[in-house]
Amino acid sequence: MKNKELKILLSAPRGFCAGVERAIEIVEKSIQKYGSPVYVRHEIVHNKFVVDDLRNKGAIFVEELEEIEDKTRPVIFSAHGVPKKIPQDAKNYNMTYVDATCPLVSKVHREAENLHKAGYHLILIGHENHPEVIGTMGQLPKGSIDLIQNESEANNYDPKNFEKIAYVTQTTLSVDDTKEIISILKEKFSNIREPAKEDICYATTNRQMAVKNIAKKCDLFFVIGSRNSSNSVRLVEVAKKSGCENSILIHSQSEIPFNLIENSNIIGISSGASAPEILVENFIKELKNKFTVTIEEVEIIKENVVFRVPKKLN
Protein backbone atom coordinates (compact mmCIF):
# COMPACT_ATOMS: atom_id res chain seq x y z
CA MET A 1 0.00 0.00 0.00
CA LYS A 2 2.85 2.35 0.89
CA ASN A 3 4.00 2.33 -2.75
CA LYS A 4 0.85 4.01 -3.98
CA GLU A 5 1.88 7.46 -5.18
CA LEU A 6 -0.29 10.34 -4.12
CA LYS A 7 -0.01 13.95 -5.17
CA ILE A 8 -1.31 16.57 -2.75
CA LEU A 9 -2.28 20.02 -3.96
CA LEU A 10 -2.16 22.20 -0.87
CA SER A 11 -4.46 25.19 -1.14
CA ALA A 12 -3.06 28.58 -0.08
CA PRO A 13 -4.06 30.73 1.63
CA ARG A 14 -5.79 28.39 4.10
CA GLY A 15 -6.34 28.17 7.85
CA PHE A 16 -6.24 30.98 10.39
CA CYS A 17 -7.34 34.44 9.30
CA ALA A 18 -6.32 37.66 11.07
CA GLY A 19 -9.60 37.83 13.03
CA VAL A 20 -9.13 34.32 14.44
CA GLU A 21 -5.46 34.95 15.30
CA ARG A 22 -6.45 38.14 17.11
CA ALA A 23 -9.27 36.40 19.04
CA ILE A 24 -6.98 33.59 20.25
CA GLU A 25 -4.31 36.12 21.22
CA ILE A 26 -6.92 38.10 23.19
CA VAL A 27 -7.78 35.01 25.27
CA GLU A 28 -4.11 34.16 25.86
CA LYS A 29 -3.19 37.73 26.80
CA SER A 30 -6.23 38.01 29.08
CA ILE A 31 -5.11 34.88 30.95
CA GLN A 32 -1.60 36.39 31.27
CA LYS A 33 -2.96 39.70 32.51
CA TYR A 34 -5.83 38.61 34.78
CA GLY A 35 -4.73 35.07 35.69
CA SER A 36 -7.08 32.13 35.28
CA PRO A 37 -9.88 31.48 34.92
CA VAL A 38 -11.11 33.91 32.32
CA TYR A 39 -14.54 33.24 30.88
CA VAL A 40 -15.34 33.18 27.17
CA ARG A 41 -18.91 33.64 26.00
CA HIS A 42 -19.46 31.09 23.21
CA GLU A 43 -16.60 29.21 21.52
CA ILE A 44 -13.99 31.89 20.77
CA VAL A 45 -13.71 30.42 17.27
CA HIS A 46 -15.39 27.33 15.85
CA ASN A 47 -12.65 24.78 16.32
CA LYS A 48 -12.47 22.04 18.98
CA PHE A 49 -8.65 21.86 18.95
CA VAL A 50 -8.36 25.62 19.63
CA VAL A 51 -11.08 25.60 22.30
CA ASP A 52 -9.54 22.60 24.12
CA ASP A 53 -6.09 24.22 24.00
CA LEU A 54 -7.41 27.46 25.53
CA ARG A 55 -9.40 25.51 28.12
CA ASN A 56 -6.15 23.83 29.21
CA LYS A 57 -4.55 27.26 29.56
CA GLY A 58 -7.31 28.54 31.88
CA ALA A 59 -10.32 29.61 29.81
CA ILE A 60 -13.84 28.54 30.78
CA PHE A 61 -16.41 28.56 27.97
CA VAL A 62 -20.04 29.47 28.64
CA GLU A 63 -22.99 30.24 26.39
CA GLU A 64 -24.49 33.02 28.54
CA LEU A 65 -23.21 35.49 31.15
CA GLU A 66 -25.72 34.12 33.71
CA GLU A 67 -23.70 30.87 33.83
CA ILE A 68 -20.61 32.67 35.16
CA GLU A 69 -20.47 31.97 38.88
CA ASP A 70 -17.65 34.35 39.76
CA LYS A 71 -18.60 37.67 38.16
CA THR A 72 -15.38 39.29 39.38
CA ARG A 73 -13.55 37.35 36.65
CA PRO A 74 -13.21 38.85 33.17
CA VAL A 75 -15.29 37.64 30.23
CA ILE A 76 -14.33 37.65 26.55
CA PHE A 77 -16.83 37.91 23.69
CA SER A 78 -16.15 35.58 20.76
CA ALA A 79 -14.86 36.55 17.31
CA HIS A 80 -18.37 36.16 15.85
CA GLY A 81 -19.70 39.23 17.66
CA VAL A 82 -22.53 39.63 20.16
CA PRO A 83 -25.90 41.40 20.31
CA LYS A 84 -25.79 44.92 21.77
CA LYS A 85 -27.43 43.87 25.01
CA ILE A 86 -24.54 41.54 26.00
CA PRO A 87 -21.92 44.25 26.76
CA GLN A 88 -24.73 46.13 28.51
CA ASP A 89 -25.52 43.06 30.65
CA ALA A 90 -21.80 42.73 31.49
CA LYS A 91 -21.75 46.37 32.63
CA ASN A 92 -24.86 45.76 34.76
CA TYR A 93 -23.03 42.85 36.42
CA ASN A 94 -19.98 45.14 36.91
CA MET A 95 -17.94 42.64 34.91
CA THR A 96 -14.67 43.34 33.12
CA TYR A 97 -15.09 42.33 29.50
CA VAL A 98 -12.87 42.16 26.44
CA ASP A 99 -14.48 42.16 23.02
CA ALA A 100 -12.75 39.77 20.56
CA THR A 101 -15.26 40.44 17.76
CA CYS A 102 -13.48 40.30 14.41
CA PRO A 103 -13.01 43.89 13.15
CA LEU A 104 -14.65 42.89 9.85
CA VAL A 105 -17.77 41.75 11.73
CA SER A 106 -17.70 45.00 13.75
CA LYS A 107 -17.64 46.87 10.43
CA VAL A 108 -20.91 45.16 9.43
CA HIS A 109 -22.39 46.04 12.85
CA ARG A 110 -21.52 49.73 12.41
CA GLU A 111 -22.79 49.69 8.85
CA ALA A 112 -26.14 48.21 9.97
CA GLU A 113 -26.48 50.80 12.75
CA ASN A 114 -25.68 53.71 10.45
CA LEU A 115 -28.18 52.54 7.82
CA HIS A 116 -30.83 52.09 10.50
CA LYS A 117 -30.19 55.62 11.79
CA ALA A 118 -30.48 56.90 8.21
CA GLY A 119 -33.99 55.43 8.02
CA TYR A 120 -33.30 52.20 6.12
CA HIS A 121 -35.03 48.90 6.75
CA LEU A 122 -32.34 46.21 6.70
CA ILE A 123 -32.00 42.78 5.18
CA LEU A 124 -29.25 40.48 6.45
CA ILE A 125 -28.19 37.69 4.11
CA GLY A 126 -26.97 34.88 6.35
CA HIS A 127 -27.72 31.62 8.16
CA GLU A 128 -30.22 31.49 11.02
CA ASN A 129 -28.80 30.73 14.47
CA HIS A 130 -25.20 31.33 13.43
CA PRO A 131 -23.63 33.41 16.25
CA GLU A 132 -22.53 36.11 13.79
CA VAL A 133 -26.10 36.49 12.51
CA ILE A 134 -27.50 36.63 16.06
CA GLY A 135 -24.89 39.31 16.87
CA THR A 136 -25.59 41.44 13.79
CA MET A 137 -29.38 41.27 14.17
CA GLY A 138 -28.92 42.08 17.84
CA GLN A 139 -27.42 45.49 16.97
CA LEU A 140 -30.83 46.83 15.92
CA PRO A 141 -34.30 47.09 17.44
CA LYS A 142 -36.58 44.10 16.76
CA GLY A 143 -38.44 44.35 13.48
CA SER A 144 -35.93 46.66 11.79
CA ILE A 145 -33.82 43.88 10.23
CA ASP A 146 -34.96 40.73 8.40
CA LEU A 147 -32.94 37.59 7.70
CA ILE A 148 -32.86 36.07 4.22
CA GLN A 149 -31.10 32.71 3.94
CA ASN A 150 -31.64 31.58 0.36
CA GLU A 151 -33.04 32.40 -3.08
CA SER A 152 -36.58 31.23 -2.37
CA GLU A 153 -36.76 33.44 0.75
CA ALA A 154 -35.48 36.33 -1.37
CA ASN A 155 -38.15 35.65 -4.01
CA ASN A 156 -40.90 35.51 -1.40
CA TYR A 157 -39.69 38.48 0.60
CA ASP A 158 -42.46 41.02 0.87
CA PRO A 159 -41.69 43.73 3.39
CA LYS A 160 -44.23 46.23 4.66
CA ASN A 161 -44.13 49.43 2.73
CA PHE A 162 -40.56 50.49 3.42
CA GLU A 163 -39.36 53.47 1.43
CA LYS A 164 -35.70 52.72 1.93
CA ILE A 165 -34.20 49.22 1.97
CA ALA A 166 -30.56 48.17 2.37
CA TYR A 167 -28.76 44.86 2.80
CA VAL A 168 -25.68 43.58 4.63
CA THR A 169 -24.25 40.04 4.63
CA GLN A 170 -22.73 37.52 7.01
CA THR A 171 -18.96 37.71 6.51
CA THR A 172 -18.34 33.94 6.15
CA LEU A 173 -20.67 33.16 3.25
CA SER A 174 -19.44 32.37 -0.23
CA VAL A 175 -19.53 35.09 -2.84
CA ASP A 176 -21.39 32.69 -5.16
CA ASP A 177 -24.10 31.99 -2.55
CA THR A 178 -24.86 35.66 -2.04
CA LYS A 179 -24.62 36.64 -5.72
CA GLU A 180 -27.95 35.00 -6.66
CA ILE A 181 -29.77 36.31 -3.59
CA ILE A 182 -28.46 39.84 -4.20
CA SER A 183 -29.52 39.83 -7.85
CA ILE A 184 -33.07 38.74 -6.85
CA LEU A 185 -33.24 41.56 -4.27
CA LYS A 186 -31.93 44.12 -6.77
CA GLU A 187 -34.56 43.07 -9.26
CA LYS A 188 -37.34 43.36 -6.65
CA PHE A 189 -36.09 46.62 -5.14
CA SER A 190 -34.37 48.73 -7.76
CA ASN A 191 -33.35 51.30 -5.14
CA ILE A 192 -31.92 48.80 -2.60
CA ARG A 193 -28.75 50.12 -1.03
CA GLU A 194 -25.72 47.85 -1.03
CA PRO A 195 -22.67 47.95 1.25
CA ALA A 196 -20.02 50.50 0.25
CA LYS A 197 -17.51 47.65 0.43
CA GLU A 198 -18.10 43.92 0.12
CA ASP A 199 -19.13 42.50 3.53
CA ILE A 200 -17.78 39.01 2.84
CA CYS A 201 -14.38 38.98 4.46
CA TYR A 202 -11.11 38.97 2.53
CA ALA A 203 -10.04 35.66 4.12
CA THR A 204 -13.29 33.88 3.22
CA THR A 205 -12.98 35.10 -0.37
CA ASN A 206 -9.27 34.23 -0.65
CA ARG A 207 -9.72 30.71 0.73
CA GLN A 208 -12.63 30.08 -1.62
CA MET A 209 -10.69 31.38 -4.64
CA ALA A 210 -7.73 29.16 -3.72
CA VAL A 211 -10.00 26.09 -3.51
CA LYS A 212 -11.71 26.95 -6.82
CA ASN A 213 -8.29 27.24 -8.39
CA ILE A 214 -7.32 23.60 -7.71
CA ALA A 215 -10.58 21.66 -7.12
CA LYS A 216 -11.11 20.70 -10.76
CA LYS A 217 -7.67 19.02 -10.88
CA CYS A 218 -8.42 16.82 -7.84
CA ASP A 219 -9.99 13.35 -7.53
CA LEU A 220 -10.74 14.04 -3.87
CA PHE A 221 -10.80 17.25 -1.84
CA PHE A 222 -10.46 17.57 1.94
CA VAL A 223 -11.28 20.62 4.04
CA ILE A 224 -9.94 20.49 7.60
CA GLY A 225 -12.35 22.30 9.92
CA SER A 226 -15.27 22.01 12.32
CA ARG A 227 -18.84 21.08 11.46
CA ASN A 228 -20.13 24.28 13.05
CA SER A 229 -17.59 26.44 11.18
CA SER A 230 -19.55 28.27 8.50
CA ASN A 231 -16.53 29.09 6.37
CA SER A 232 -15.24 25.47 6.47
CA VAL A 233 -18.60 24.08 5.36
CA ARG A 234 -18.69 26.69 2.56
CA LEU A 235 -15.23 25.58 1.37
CA VAL A 236 -16.52 22.02 0.90
CA GLU A 237 -19.45 23.39 -1.14
CA VAL A 238 -17.10 25.55 -3.23
CA ALA A 239 -14.85 22.56 -3.99
CA LYS A 240 -17.88 20.52 -5.11
CA LYS A 241 -19.24 23.31 -7.30
CA SER A 242 -15.79 23.91 -8.78
CA GLY A 243 -15.40 20.42 -10.18
CA CYS A 244 -14.48 18.03 -7.36
CA GLU A 245 -17.69 16.19 -6.49
CA ASN A 246 -15.86 14.09 -3.85
CA SER A 247 -15.20 16.85 -1.33
CA ILE A 248 -15.23 16.02 2.37
CA LEU A 249 -15.04 17.94 5.66
CA ILE A 250 -12.50 16.44 8.07
CA HIS A 251 -13.48 17.35 11.65
CA SER A 252 -12.38 16.17 15.09
CA GLN A 253 -14.43 12.94 14.93
CA SER A 254 -13.65 12.09 11.30
CA GLU A 255 -12.14 8.79 10.21
CA ILE A 256 -9.77 9.32 7.29
CA PRO A 257 -11.36 7.56 4.27
CA PHE A 258 -8.24 5.67 3.15
CA ASN A 259 -10.28 3.48 0.79
CA LEU A 260 -11.29 6.57 -1.22
CA ILE A 261 -7.75 7.95 -1.12
CA GLU A 262 -6.44 4.59 -2.36
CA ASN A 263 -8.45 5.11 -5.56
CA SER A 264 -7.26 8.70 -6.07
CA ASN A 265 -4.14 10.11 -7.68
CA ILE A 266 -4.46 13.79 -6.83
CA ILE A 267 -6.05 15.10 -3.66
CA GLY A 268 -6.62 18.70 -2.62
CA ILE A 269 -6.36 19.98 0.95
CA SER A 270 -7.50 23.26 2.49
CA SER A 271 -8.58 24.34 5.96
CA GLY A 272 -11.16 26.69 7.39
CA ALA A 273 -10.27 30.09 8.86
CA SER A 274 -10.54 28.74 12.42
CA ALA A 275 -8.47 25.57 11.85
CA PRO A 276 -4.84 25.63 13.08
CA GLU A 277 -2.12 24.51 10.65
CA ILE A 278 -1.09 21.65 12.96
CA LEU A 279 -4.32 19.84 12.00
CA VAL A 280 -3.31 20.01 8.33
CA GLU A 281 0.19 18.79 9.21
CA ASN A 282 -1.22 15.87 11.25
CA PHE A 283 -3.53 14.90 8.40
CA ILE A 284 -0.66 14.89 5.89
CA LYS A 285 1.47 12.86 8.34
CA GLU A 286 -1.27 10.17 8.41
CA LEU A 287 -1.24 10.04 4.61
CA LYS A 288 2.56 9.77 4.51
CA ASN A 289 2.34 6.67 6.71
CA LYS A 290 0.39 4.87 4.00
CA PHE A 291 1.35 6.47 0.70
CA THR A 292 4.31 7.89 -1.16
CA VAL A 293 3.35 11.55 -1.05
CA THR A 294 4.43 14.57 -3.09
CA ILE A 295 3.13 17.98 -2.07
CA GLU A 296 2.66 21.06 -4.19
CA GLU A 297 1.48 24.20 -2.45
CA VAL A 298 -0.62 26.32 -4.82
CA GLU A 299 -0.80 29.90 -3.56
CA ILE A 300 -2.99 32.46 -5.31
CA ILE A 301 -2.45 35.47 -3.05
CA LYS A 302 -0.24 36.51 -0.12
CA GLU A 303 -2.12 37.64 2.98
CA ASN A 304 -0.52 40.22 5.23
CA VAL A 305 -3.50 41.46 7.23
CA VAL A 306 -2.95 41.85 10.99
CA PHE A 307 -5.53 43.06 13.52
CA ARG A 308 -4.21 44.52 16.78
CA VAL A 309 -5.45 43.35 20.15
CA PRO A 310 -7.21 45.91 22.42
CA LYS A 311 -4.79 48.35 24.09
CA LYS A 312 -5.81 47.31 27.58
CA LEU A 313 -4.15 43.90 27.05
CA ASN A 314 -0.75 45.26 26.05
Side-chain angles (χ1 to χ4, degrees):
M1 199 173 175
K2 175 85 174 175
N3 304 333
K4 158 93 183 157
E5 291 196 2
L6 190 63
K7 181 167 188 183
I8 293 175
L9 295 181
L10 200 48
S11 185
R14 65 181 173 278
F16 279 178
C17 59
V20 164
E21 285 183 345
R22 173 179 178 269
I24 294 167
E25 194 183 345
I26 284 173
V27 179
E28 291 176 338
K29 286 199 159 172
S30 298
I31 293 167
Q32 283 165 19
K33 177 169 179 172
Y34 301 109
S36 64
V38 301
Y39 287 89
V40 183
R41 186 189 176 278
H42 191 71
E43 291 184 347
I44 187 74
V45 296
H46 284 155
N47 186 273
K48 185 180 184 303
F49 184 94
V50 171
V51 167
D52 288 348
D53 183 51
L54 293 172
R55 197 178 273 127
N56 291 336
K57 288 174 179 170
I60 295 175
F61 292 86
V62 295
E63 283 305 310
E64 299 299 343
L65 300 183
E66 292 74 53
E67 297 168 45
I68 299 173
E69 283 167 24
D70 183 356
K71 302 242 184 342
T72 64
R73 302 302 306 159
V75 63
I76 298 159
F77 303 145
S78 84
H80 312 99
V82 293
K84 237 191 171 78
K85 79 180 274 300
I86 303 297
Q88 196 47 57
D89 289 349
K91 281 179 191 152
N92 295 344
Y93 284 130
N94 285 325
M95 292 184 80
T96 301
Y97 68 85
V98 187
D99 190 353
T101 302
C102 170
L104 297 175
V105 175
S106 300
K107 175 183 87 73
V108 176
H109 288 183
R110 284 194 302 274
E111 197 173 21
E113 278 195 285
N114 291 338
L115 287 164
H116 174 66
K117 280 182 190 145
Y120 284 87
H121 183 78
L122 264 87
I123 292 168
L124 170 62
I125 300 169
H127 292 141
E128 195 171 18
N129 296 330
H130 188 279
E132 186 190 323
V133 164
I134 293 166
T136 300
M137 293 186 80
Q139 301 305 306
L140 302 183
K142 234 182 174 36
S144 53
I145 182 165
D146 295 319
L147 180 65
I148 287 184
Q149 301 185 77
N150 52 44
E151 290 159 45
S152 78
E153 287 184 11
N155 275 316
N156 296 327
Y157 183 63
D158 185 19
K160 320 286 176 285
N161 186 22
F162 295 118
E163 294 293 302
K164 296 158 79 175
I165 289 189
Y167 75 85
V168 291
T169 72
Q170 184 180 332
T171 61
T172 52
L173 296 180
S174 79
V175 179
D176 294 344
D177 283 349
T178 55
K179 200 165 61 186
E180 291 307 313
I181 297 171
I182 290 165
S183 69
I184 291 167
L185 292 175
K186 282 182 172 173
E187 208 165 290
K188 287 184 85 141
F189 312 106
S190 54
N191 62 342
I192 193 166
R193 178 153 170 187
E194 52 190 331
K197 274 180 83 179
E198 180 74 73
D199 285 337
I200 292 171
C201 98
Y202 78 93
T204 300
T205 303
N206 290 350
R207 278 150 193 68
Q208 289 174 7
M209 276 166 47
V211 166
K212 274 183 185 174
N213 183 40
I214 59 173
K216 55 186 169 293
K217 300 173 191 159
C218 301
D219 306 312
L220 253 181
F221 204 101
F222 294 104
V223 175
I224 316 288
S226 296
R227 284 172 286 191
N228 61 343
S229 159
S230 172
N231 70 79
S232 302
V233 174
R234 296 290 85 70
L235 285 177
V236 176
E237 289 169 6
V238 166
K240 284 182 177 175
K241 280 183 186 162
S242 306
C244 187
E245 200 40 59
N246 293 323
S247 297
I248 298 167
L249 183 71
I250 295 287
H251 52 81
S252 55
Q253 270 97 48
S254 291
E255 296 280 320
I256 299 177
F258 289 115
N259 57 331
L260 292 177
I261 299 169
E262 179 66 30
N263 296 319
S264 307
N265 296 315
I266 300 177
I267 69 166
I269 299 176
S270 184
S271 52
S274 44
E277 185 62 13
I278 189 159
L279 298 181
V280 175
E281 289 164 9
N282 290 347
F283 182 69
I284 291 173
K285 206 181 287 175
E286 295 274 354
L287 299 182
K288 283 180 171 172
N289 288 337
K290 292 194 184 284
F291 307 103
T292 304
V293 169
T294 55
I295 299 173
E296 182 190 337
E297 184 164 42
V298 187
E299 183 173 64
I300 57 155
I301 191 166
K302 273 248 180 291
E303 287 181 347
N304 51 11
V305 180
V306 176
F307 295 137
R308 291 198 176 85
V309 301
K311 283 195 183 74
K312 63 176 162 189
L313 293 178
N314 288 329

